[in-house]
Amino acid sequence: MYSTILLGFFIILTCLFLIGIILIQNPKKGFISQSFMEKNFRFFGIKRTNIFLEKITWTLSIIILFLTLFFNLLLKYKQ
C-alpha cells in the first residue's frame, strides 16, 4: 500500500515539474518582435536554453509514461 502511495506521489511531483518546465519555455512561433529578439540574443545562450528545456520536457514525459505503466502494473498485482 505504501509503495502505491509513494509512486503516486512521484507521478504527481513529476507532472507538476513538467508543467513548470513547459510554462518556462518560449513559444516556437510568435510576433515579429520575438523573431527579432531571438536573432539578437542568440549569442547570450537563449538558443541552448530552449534546447535544454526541450530535452527536459521529453525526458519528463517519458518518465511519466513509465511511472504510470508501472503504477498500473503494481495496482493490478495488488488485487
Side-chain angles (χ1 to χ4, degrees), residues 25-38:
Q25 291 180 5
N26 289 330
K28 298 276 182 189
K29 295 180 182 178
F31 301 112
I32 297 172
S33 63
Q34 286 180 344
S35 64
F36 176 72
M37 296 284 284
E38 185 176 310

Side-chain angles (χ1 to χ4, degrees), residues 28-76:
K28 298 276 182 189
K29 295 180 182 178
F31 301 112
I32 297 172
S33 63
Q34 286 180 344
S35 64
F36 176 72
M37 296 284 284
E38 185 176 310
K39 290 177 185 175
N40 285 338
F41 289 110
R42 187 176 296 169
F43 301 111
F44 295 115
I46 289 180
K47 282 291 189 185
R48 274 190 264 154
T49 305
N50 286 340
I51 292 171
F52 178 69
L53 290 175
E54 186 176 338
K55 287 181 182 180
I56 290 176
T57 303
W58 280 107
T59 305
L60 287 175
S61 300
I62 292 169
I63 289 172
I64 289 172
L65 173 72
F66 285 118
L67 282 176
T68 53
L69 288 176
F70 184 66
F71 186 73
N72 190 14
L73 185 68
L74 192 64
L75 287 178
K76 185 177 180 180

